[in-house]
Amino acid sequence: MPLPDVFAQGLRSAGWLAGLPALALIWASATLYAAPQIAETLEAAGARVAAGTATTTGEPWLRLEARGRDLAAEGEAPDVGERETVLAKLAALEGPRRIVSEVGLVETATPFQWAAIRTGTARVELEGSRPVEIGRRALEARITGALAPGTYLDDTARAARGAPPDFASAAAFLAARLSGLAKGGRAAVSDTVLNLSGEALDVPAYEALRSALANPPAGFSIGRIEIVPPAVAQFRFAVEKSARGIVLDGFAPSAVDREAALRAAAEAVPGGTVQDRLLTARGLDPAIDPKALIGFAFKLAELIQTGTVTFAEDTIAVTGDAIDAQAIPDAAALMREARPAGVKAGRVALAARPLSPYRVAIRRTPEAVTLTGHLPDDATRERVLAALRPRLFREPVVDRTRLADGAPPDLGTALAAAAPLVVNLAIGEVAVSDRALTLTGESLYREAAARLPDRLAEALPPGWTGQAAVSARQPAETRDPAACRAEAAATLDRASLRFPAGSATLAPSFYPVLDALAALAKACPTLRIAVSAPADPAKPKPAPGEGAAPAETPPTAMAAPHEAPAATGSAPKPNPKPDP
């Protein structure tokens, strides 16, 4: 080929290449301008068909969307016939290349389930079923109004029958709660049960959720709630104790742990106040058991009159006024030996001060006699125990007292005088506060209850004040005298009561018989029982080289029961029960 022809052909090729960018620009401009026009034309063509599907709410069930030259139809038709009619009308339109049908049918949902899921900071997806009686846009408006402004809805819920009454209120209520959850939070309705799960955005949001869920919409109940508390950078827990009660402050890892702390506080100050400032939040080291931490904090709190037990940065400390001098080494020992795993020992900054008021109590129950509070020294403690033990048979004495300075004068004398009075009650308590003593409880006998105020006043040392408030139990139902005598005789016939020689100590085998007679005496007020026994025989001197022969007291003689206006000539009898 001659050179001029080759050169001309190259120029023609270069010209086509130079024109391609311009051609692409023209095509793109035409597409960008024409595509919206085409979409508007297609949707306008089907608007009249969609308008004809309006429901009782005025909102059409048919929704149309142009996709290029295609027209997509969505929605839920009331029945098959109406769906076919609408699709036929759309197929008859001029303009759409084809009709893409995504039209379903309205069905009855059982159970009726709907859910809203937070998929982003300002994005919520709706799924499941929505009531056919409520238009999509109307329901979306209710839900959007409960969400943060600017939240976008991805609504894939389908119309269905079977929704509970006032569904829209329940959906709006859940949507409002969803605003307090992080991404992934889910709020759901299943018939009339509301469920919520996810992680709270922050501590205020968690507290607001707990408060709001206590008051669901009328006709609905709260079902499964799985809200994860938020995490805090610095986890803190504190027990502040004062004369008024206990204040709980800081955080608890869960609602269950928070309730455990509240129960422990109520037990620590019976009758006192508990102020709850706890918030629920995560952040406690996973190696630390929250229940063990709470229990240990309250063990330390038992040792202070006023002060604070504080856990922060994995370390627990106690400061304030100790309940007594003994509490200071006790707190130090707890720190050394009883700390939960993962908890570090902090300061034990306690001061011991004389107690004011000085308190101690003796409580009598059918099972035991218990001493609580403080005593000045071991000698006073032994004096009180010595006044109690001889008057008890089977009931143990439980001593929980501690030693402390500040006791009022004659405390031991006052307690030793009051001990027999409280022990003779069925149930009761002697409570001392400084130099004031109060006796309360219940007596088995009306006469004994009436005598107690005078007996208490006579027993107390000078300078002390006493008050007795003892009631009498209602008398048992009176039984027939003849039946009483017969039952008493049968009880005695079966008895074999023998004291060891030289002793008046009751043996364990005595108690069933004495209990039966005591119960019978309550029901038989006219029954009289005489108790007697021969004295121990004189002991002969042993012959030389012979040991003393053991002797046994003859059986205790109980005279046959009889009816009498009063007991006369009866020998003293042992006291198997309080209030003889």
Side-chain angles (χ1 to χ4, degrees):
M1 180 181 293
L3 183 60
D5 291 341
V6 174
F7 181 73
Q9 187 175 355
L11 288 175
R12 285 194 298 272
S13 299
W16 278 106
L17 291 174
L20 285 177
L23 183 62
L25 182 61
I26 293 171
W27 178 83
S29 299
T31 301
L32 292 174
Y33 174 77
Q37 298 295 325
I38 294 171
E40 291 178 5
T41 300
L42 294 178
E43 291 174 0
R48 288 190 299 275
V49 178
T53 65
T55 61
T56 55
T57 63
E59 184 178 333
W61 61 260
L62 179 64
R63 301 184 302 279
L64 299 173
E65 179 187 5
R67 299 175 185 171
R69 296 295 303 276
D70 297 336
L71 188 61
E74 300 176 346
E76 293 79 35
D79 52 54
V80 175
E82 186 164 348
R83 179 173 65 179
E84 296 303 322
T85 299
V86 167
L87 292 178
K89 290 179 180 180
L90 292 175
L93 295 176
E94 294 183 2
R97 179 175 58 185
R98 62 174 180 166
I99 303 299
V100 179
S101 174
E102 297 177 2
V103 177
L105 294 174
V106 175
E107 298 177 350
T108 299
T110 305
F112 195 95
Q113 296 180 328
W114 173 90
I117 304 99
R118 178 170 289 285
T119 56
T121 305
R123 202 174 191 94
V124 171
E125 179 181 346
L126 307 181
E127 65 179 25
S129 301
R130 62 173 177 81
V132 67
E133 301 85 1
I134 306 174
R136 180 183 297 272
R137 287 195 297 270
L139 183 59
E140 288 178 353
R142 288 289 300 273
I143 294 169
T144 303
L147 293 168
T151 302
Y152 178 79
L153 296 181
D154 294 320
D155 190 358
T156 62
R158 301 177 67 86
R161 299 183 181 91
D166 205 15
F167 174 90
S169 295
F173 174 83
L174 285 177
R177 310 290 80 78
L178 200 62
S179 296
L181 297 178
K183 182 180 178 181
R186 179 184 177 89
V189 178
S190 180
D191 289 335
T192 59
V193 179
L194 309 182
N195 305 297
L196 197 65
S197 61
E199 180 180 352
L201 285 173
D202 49 37
V203 172
Y206 184 87
E207 296 301 316
L209 284 169
R210 290 180 66 245
S211 177
L213 289 172
N215 297 290
F220 291 84
S221 62
I222 300 299
R224 187 168 54 93
I225 303 299
E226 296 178 348
I227 301 175
V228 179
V232 293
Q234 294 183 333
F235 188 92
R236 178 178 175 274
F237 175 76
V239 179
E240 182 181 338
K241 191 175 182 182
S242 68
R244 294 183 299 275
I246 282 180
V247 177
L248 297 177
D249 199 5
F251 302 103
S254 69
V256 173
D257 297 321
R258 184 175 181 174
E259 291 300 322
L262 287 171
R263 285 195 302 272
E267 293 171 0
V269 286
T273 61
V274 176
Q275 188 174 354
D276 179 18
R277 296 179 185 168
L278 286 175
L279 300 173
T280 307
R282 293 176 294 126
L284 180 66
D285 186 339
I288 300 175
D289 180 4
K291 292 181 177 57
L293 172 62
I294 292 169
F296 182 70
F298 276 97
K299 284 184 180 178
L300 291 174
E302 290 176 2
L303 301 176
I304 58 176
Q305 296 184 69
T306 60
T308 306
V309 179
T310 305
F311 172 82
E313 298 181 356
D314 298 340
T315 301
I316 195 164
V318 56
T319 60
D321 292 337
I323 57 172
D324 50 45
Q326 181 183 338
I328 298 176
D330 286 351
L334 279 175
M335 282 291 195
R336 288 193 308 271
E337 303 165 5
R339 292 192 326 276
V343 177
K344 300 175 183 176
R347 289 197 315 148
V348 176
L350 298 177
R353 306 180 189 276
L355 299 184
S356 181
Y358 200 97
R359 292 192 173 97
V360 61
I362 305 173
R363 181 166 182 79
R364 199 252 198 273
T365 66
E367 293 78 26
V369 173
T370 305
L371 280 70
T372 58
H374 288 89
L375 294 170
D377 48 48
D378 287 326
T380 304
R381 176 182 286 158
E382 290 304 319
R383 183 177 181 184
V384 176
L385 294 175
L388 290 170
R389 287 179 175 135
R391 293 169 172 81
L392 299 171
F393 297 99
R394 287 173 291 183
E395 303 90 335
V397 178
V398 180
D399 179 19
R400 294 177 180 165
T401 57
R402 301 170 62 89
L403 302 183
D405 296 333
D410 299 322
L411 176 62
T413 301
L415 289 173
L421 303 182
V422 71
V423 166
N424 284 340
L425 296 177
I427 57 172
E429 183 179 67
V430 165
V432 170
S433 178
D434 289 336
R435 300 177 78 178
L437 186 148
T438 303
L439 175 63
T440 59
E442 187 178 75
S443 172
L444 293 176
Y445 305 100
R446 185 173 55 255
E447 294 82 0
R451 291 195 302 266
L452 277 175
D454 293 337
R455 294 180 62 187
L456 179 62
E458 295 170 0
L460 289 178
W464 280 70
T465 60
Q467 182 178 2
V470 177
S471 61
R473 284 187 178 176
Q474 293 295 328
E477 181 181 355
T478 302
R479 296 176 57 182
D480 176 68
C484 291
R485 288 194 301 273
E487 186 172 342
T491 301
L492 293 174
D493 287 343
R494 295 191 299 267
S496 177
L497 308 181
R498 293 176 179 271
F499 288 99
S503 171
T505 303
L506 297 177
S509 60
F510 287 27
Y511 289 110
V513 177
L514 297 176
D515 287 344
L517 291 174
L520 189 62
K522 293 178 187 177
C524 303
T526 60
L527 185 67
R528 297 292 181 264
I529 301 175
V531 181
S532 62
D536 287 341
K539 298 179 181 179
K541 293 182 180 180
E546 294 181 3
E552 185 180 64
T553 302
T556 298
M558 284 198 175
H562 61 281
E563 300 292 331
T568 58
S570 299
K573 60 180 179 179
N575 177 17
K577 288 290 181 182
D579 276 330

